[in-house]
Amino acid sequence: SSGINAEYGGNLISWQNLAYDFGFSYNIEFECDAKVLILGEGKSLLPSEVVVPLKAMQDNIDYQEIISEIQSDRNLMDRFRRYLTVLRHIQYDQVSEEKQKKIEQDYVAERKSN
């Protein structure tokens, strides 16, 4: 199957375990350390901690074609994976209270304008 069962996917994301049905009327849960990136055109059925909405710079974009190109380019997929792995290990500086207030003000102003 090219998709993932929403219940299993939700458990994988939220609880970091994956149940497997061996066909003997019982499931065994396996603990895992899975990192999940959800890409989609709308809100996902799967749980997520962060949502980053993207807006197209132009109209009439064939998203299916772009997704197909990305999925078929093994080198590009590997670069995405390496990039996301590196991001997990970067040490970020604490944001000062002054910068936090500025970010909050900018965020509120942006929300009001939309």
Side-chain angles (χ1 to χ4, degrees):
S1 166
S2 62
I4 183 168
N5 177 294
E7 180 181 357
Y8 288 135
N11 287 340
L12 173 68
I13 294 166
S14 298
W15 308 111
Q16 289 295 299
N17 69 38
L18 190 61
Y20 185 81
D21 182 358
F22 284 96
F24 303 109
S25 71
Y26 67 91
N27 288 346
I28 294 180
E29 291 187 355
F30 296 94
E31 290 185 15
C32 55
D33 183 21
K35 309 307 177 236
V36 179
L37 176 65
I38 302 166
L39 301 175
E41 293 181 39
K43 183 166 173 39
S44 174
L45 296 174
L46 298 171
S48 60
E49 293 180 12
V50 177
V51 175
V52 180
L54 302 176
K55 292 184 181 180
M57 300 286 288
Q58 59 188 16
D59 293 332
N60 301 325
I61 296 175
D62 185 355
Y63 291 105
Q64 285 304 116
E65 181 180 335
I66 293 170
I67 291 169
S68 293
E69 288 176 19
I70 291 170
Q71 288 175 332
S72 66
D73 187 341
R74 187 92 178 136
N75 188 30
L76 180 60
M77 292 297 289
D78 288 340
R79 290 194 324 248
F80 274 132
R81 288 182 184 107
R82 283 194 301 270
Y83 175 72
L84 294 172
T85 299
V86 167
L87 287 179
R88 289 183 55 222
H89 299 287
I90 291 176
Q91 295 294 320
Y92 295 96
D93 294 331
Q94 289 289 335
V95 177
S96 70
E97 199 169 313
E98 180 183 322
K99 286 182 182 178
Q100 287 179 19
K101 287 185 181 190
K102 176 66 175 148
I103 292 168
E104 181 180 345
Q105 290 169 350
D106 288 350
Y107 178 76
V108 170
E110 181 68 26
R111 293 287 301 220
K112 285 181 180 178
S113 70
N114 290 331

